[in-house]
Amino acid sequence: MTVVVATADFEVYHDVVNELRDRGVQFTTIEPGDDLPEQARICIRAEGDDVDTELPVIVADSNHPRKVVEEALAVLRGESGRTIIGIDPGTRPGIAILSGDLVVSAFHVPLADAAAVVREEIEDAIDPVVRIGDGARLQGAQLIRELEDVLVELVDETGTTPYLGTGARGMGDVLAAVNIARLEGDVVEERDIDPTQGELGVIKRRSRERSDDNREIDEQLARRVAAGELTIEEALAEHREE
């Protein structure tokens, strides 16, 4: 799945390579005239470069490196389309994997397992994007942190949860994830959340429910749980040591 940049034009080389790196695309560089590697799928060159190949070739303009990379990725994706992961965040997120408009797989897993599921699904994907609904703020922020090296968009999930008829119980989160995947959002690298008193109260109540001795963590530990620094079990252990 390698993109090959074969050019003697320094500006094209610099701008296209930086754009490929920013997008997390696998690539290699060679001099014009060198043999292309076996795993090569597409070649990018400048206007004046002489490259002998039967592979698809994109002629690059250093003024528009993003457009060049988008064109190359479109060729690589082919008819199947881009891999898009939609996530309806929560304590058990719904996860939907789309290839173009086609839903190819879906999951409903504990929050602790969600990032690992996403990473496995995008491992061999070309230019994937993860779209996370903005509803469950704390869980969404945790997923964004755990997927820090992945392209993530935050999506307004208003209206994405469908009506569920008879026999469809439990499918709402997954169907919402499909709808979220089909909406464009804003690219985010982190989401700083100041938890509300209500959200802290939920965390404290869960700590009491999970404790064998009906122990409830204090607000400071609850804030660390909300920030993803501690699990509830780790917070309970620290509380016992105080």
Side-chain angles (χ1 to χ4, degrees), residues 38-81:
E38 291 183 3
Q39 68 271 30
R41 292 274 304 281
I42 192 166
C43 178
I44 298 176
R45 66 171 177 83
E47 182 69 36
D49 295 315
D50 184 14
V51 180
D52 183 16
T53 179
E54 296 182 358
L55 294 175
V57 174
I58 307 296
V59 179
D61 177 351
S62 63
N63 294 322
H64 304 285
R66 185 179 298 254
K67 182 179 179 181
V68 170
V69 171
E70 281 290 352
E71 186 177 350
L73 293 174
V75 173
L76 288 174
R77 293 170 192 149
E79 296 180 359
S80 62

Side-chain angles (χ1 to χ4, degrees), residues 2 48 52 54 63 97 124 134 169 177 190 197 202 215 218:
T2 299
D52 183 16
E54 296 182 358
N63 294 322
I97 292 82
D124 296 321
D134 63 355
R169 182 179 179 183
E190 60 181 13
Q197 287 302 311
V202 169
R215 180 184 298 269
D218 57 30

Side-chain angles (χ1 to χ4, degrees), residues 147-237:
L147 297 169
E148 61 181 359
D149 56 341
V150 178
L151 177 62
V152 175
E153 294 179 0
L154 192 64
V155 173
D156 180 356
E157 64 176 52
T158 303
T160 56
T161 301
Y163 167 76
L164 298 179
T166 303
R169 182 179 179 183
M171 297 176 60
D173 294 337
V174 171
L175 293 175
V178 173
N179 290 331
I180 288 168
R182 288 175 169 156
L183 297 172
E184 291 189 8
D186 297 320
V187 176
V188 292
E189 295 180 357
E190 60 181 13
R191 191 182 189 195
D192 294 327
I193 295 296
D194 186 15
T196 65
Q197 287 302 311
E199 289 167 335
L200 292 173
V202 169
I203 293 172
K204 292 162 72 174
R205 186 181 71 248
R206 286 179 182 158
S207 71
R208 188 171 63 252
E209 293 170 349
R210 297 187 190 183
S211 172
D212 294 334
D213 54 359
N214 203 37
R215 180 184 298 269
E216 181 177 284
I217 61 175
D218 57 30
E219 182 169 319
Q220 183 177 1
L221 286 170
R223 287 185 177 277
R224 294 179 64 189
V225 171
E229 298 175 11
L230 298 173
T231 64
I232 288 180
E233 288 71 20
E234 290 169 341
L236 281 166

